Amino acid sequence: MRPGGGSRPARPWLLPWLPRLASAAAGLFYRVRISGAAVPGMGPVLLVANHPNAMLDPVLVAAAARRPVRFLAKAPLLTDRRIGWLVRAAGAIPVYRPQDDPTAMSGNADMFGAVEAALADGAAIALFPEGISHDAPAMTELKTGAARIALGKRVRDVVAIVPVGLVLRDKQTFRSDAIVVIGDAVTWDDLRASDTHDVAAVKALTGRIDAALRTVTVNLDRIEDAPLVECAEAVYAVERAGRVDAATKLARLRIAADTLREVRNDRGWHPLLAALRRHLRALERLDLSPSDLHAATDIRTAARWALGRLPLALLPMLAVGAAGHLIWWPPYRLTGIAASRIAGPADMRATYKFGVGAVVYSVWLIVVCVTIGIGASAGWGGAAVVVLPVLGIAGLWIRERWRSAWVDARRFFVLRRRPALLRELRRRQAELAERLDQLLRSRRVV
């Protein structure tokens, strides 16, 4: 229903719970790292984010904000039979797009009014200025809506514009890495005297929002560049910078992507790019990363490592890990099968998987608990409602540590068996880091 269309909007009862629910959902599907500045805990804030992953992007933004956030959402989502109730319950404000319904565009006047009123009340509003979710390796051109909202007469003197960057290494994969970086607020005090009718001011502010978002995102010329950019950043980090937080890592990835774009047509740097590719291929053949080359391979370190992971082999850990896997394996498989059969663009696949999984896992939990209740007692069935999810999460945690331990053990034996190759790879990597340092200095990046 369009705002102002004569129907009272549903109360956003889910909004106060949104930060915690979003944190739980995001942390379950991805390995999330949140870094950078903090979103202001009070007062009007306009959060602007890139949009690579459809409906999971709002989940990540809400988790990072750590305060209730109302989102702008395309109008059809609010009337969708499957998720409309959820979008409305979260307090989403509908945006009317010409590609959805050209006749409904007049509703955007109500949208701007609703957003301005919410900001005037001190709310946090989030939107995706690209206007669409996509699978491109770089941000698309921004729409002007964010700038026009900020220049609204009731809020332009007080609202802060905060960029949020979402970087997803393998966004379709369960338990893959997700980095969320909150950037510094956009500087635009010199434009606050303007209004939404000032075309030059709207254009200038949109440009600043674009620039701010690019400082917290990685933008590639083509998706095939991603492994090379990641390798360059990892080599430089290991040999020159050491361990850093997610925001610094993202900044280096951005620098690597921007530098690659600048030198791609400079033949003088082609040998370095070729050497990076050879090093990457060598590491991939051994299933190693740049940091693995500096892993200790002495027996004393291996013994300490083994003692530290000994609890993972104890019977209680084995039992919980195995039980969690066996109980939740059927819905896991069903979710994967069902999601793979849903046709759609790549940026929607994680959303499909998450949505299908929410239904399948819920139904499975109900079926198992009812079965236990019938076979044993109602009390046991009720207890299973709490115990089974806890067992599943604990089992997932244990199995991930098993997997990590196996990777560490395999790396140890690979490096231990081939000391000559290890020395050669270390030499090449140190040389690459030196050449990368020279490149960055030549571009005046460091």
Side-chain angles (χ1 to χ4, degrees):
M1 182 67 67
R2 283 169 52 178
S7 175
R8 185 185 182 89
R11 179 175 175 269
W13 57 268
L14 187 62
L15 187 59
W17 301 93
L18 194 58
R20 291 184 180 180
L21 291 174
S23 295
L28 183 62
F29 195 88
Y30 292 117
R31 295 189 185 93
V32 181
R33 287 184 291 167
I34 300 172
S35 189
V39 173
M42 298 179 64
V45 178
L46 189 63
L47 300 173
V48 289
N50 58 315
H51 205 3
N53 204 26
M55 292 297 292
L56 287 186
D57 291 341
V59 175
L60 290 167
V61 172
R66 296 189 174 94
R67 62 178 284 187
V69 178
R70 297 184 67 182
F71 287 84
L72 269 64
K74 58 184 181 181
L77 286 178
L78 279 80
T79 55
D80 188 288
R81 293 182 179 179
R82 296 162 297 181
I83 62 171
W85 65 273
L86 182 62
V87 178
R88 294 191 299 272
I93 299 171
V95 176
Y96 300 91
R97 308 184 307 173
Q99 60 264 46
D100 297 325
D101 183 359
T103 66
M105 292 295 292
S106 61
N108 283 328
D110 295 325
M111 178 273 291
F112 279 107
V115 171
E116 194 169 339
L119 288 171
D121 287 340
I125 299 290
L127 72 159
F128 301 95
E130 293 173 280
I132 57 170
S133 174
H134 61 87
D135 201 41
M139 283 171 42
T140 62
E141 183 179 357
L142 302 192
K143 304 295 189 291
T144 60
R148 292 167 63 197
I149 288 170
L151 289 168
K153 62 182 178 181
R154 296 176 60 187
V155 298
R156 62 191 178 209
D157 292 332
V158 292
V159 69
I161 306 173
V162 177
V164 181
L166 308 178
V167 180
L168 310 172
R169 192 180 191 281
D170 190 7
K171 61 189 177 185
Q172 304 169 29
T173 302
F174 179 65
R175 303 304 294 161
S176 58
D177 293 332
I179 298 177
V180 183
V181 176
I182 303 165
D184 295 326
V186 177
T187 301
W188 62 291
D189 288 345
D190 57 314
L191 299 175
R192 292 182 188 268
S194 305
D195 59 28
T196 56
H197 301 293
D198 188 332
V199 176
V202 170
K203 183 178 180 180
L205 184 51
T206 300
R208 295 186 194 183
I209 293 171
D210 181 272
L213 270 175
R214 291 182 185 276
T215 66
V216 291
T217 56
V218 178
N219 296 278
L220 304 169
D221 284 342
R222 51 196 183 208
I223 196 64
E224 294 81 5
D225 289 339
L228 189 64
V229 167
E230 290 174 359
C231 181
E233 185 279 329
V235 166
Y236 190 87
V238 170
E239 302 294 335
R240 288 289 188 274
R243 294 176 62 86
V244 293
D245 61 15
T248 305
K249 176 183 175 65
L250 179 63
R252 284 204 303 259
L253 285 170
R254 178 178 55 79
I255 291 171
D258 292 345
T259 303
L260 175 60
R261 184 179 304 110
E262 292 171 4
V263 305
R264 187 185 298 280
N265 297 320
D266 186 342
R267 290 186 177 277
W269 293 106
H270 283 193
L272 172 57
L273 299 180
L276 264 174
R277 291 190 180 96
R278 286 195 299 272
H279 190 63
L280 175 60
R281 287 195 296 269
L283 293 177
E284 288 177 339
R285 283 195 297 268
L286 296 169
D287 197 18
L288 297 174
S289 69
S291 61
D292 289 339
L293 300 185
H294 289 280
T297 58
D298 60 283
I299 298 301
R300 181 176 295 181
T301 299
R304 285 200 302 266
W305 174 90
L307 287 173
R309 278 124 185 108
L310 186 60
L312 292 173
L314 297 179
L315 184 59
M317 289 286 196
L318 293 172
V320 172
H325 175 70
L326 292 173
I327 290 171
W328 293 102
W329 183 83
Y332 174 79
R333 286 295 300 145
L334 287 171
T335 297
I337 293 170
S340 66
R341 294 182 177 179
I342 301 176
D347 60 292
M348 286 294 297
R349 288 173 191 161
T351 298
Y352 295 150
K353 189 177 292 186
F354 186 84
V356 170
V359 174
V360 172
Y361 275 74
S362 298
V363 171
W364 177 258
L365 179 62
I366 293 170
V367 169
V368 173
C369 291
V370 169
T371 302
I372 293 174
I374 293 173
S377 68
W380 282 107
V385 174
V386 176
V387 172
L388 292 183
V390 172
L391 183 62
I393 294 173
L396 177 62
W397 184 87
I398 292 170
R399 292 194 306 279
E400 287 187 345
R401 267 96 196 132
W402 285 346
R403 192 176 300 114
S404 176
W406 166 252
V407 170
D408 289 344
R410 182 196 170 280
R411 177 185 61 203
F412 173 81
F413 287 113
V414 168
L415 298 177
R416 182 86 178 172
R417 286 199 313 266
R418 309 179 72 172
L421 177 60
L422 175 59
R423 287 193 296 271
E424 175 62 16
L425 288 173
R426 284 175 174 171
R427 184 194 65 77
R428 290 185 196 172
Q429 187 159 288
E431 181 182 308
L432 280 172
E434 178 63 30
R435 295 169 70 181
L436 286 170
D437 201 37
Q438 292 174 6
L439 171 61
L440 294 176
R441 292 184 185 283
S442 73
R443 317 303 291 189
R444 298 184 178 179
V445 176
V446 296

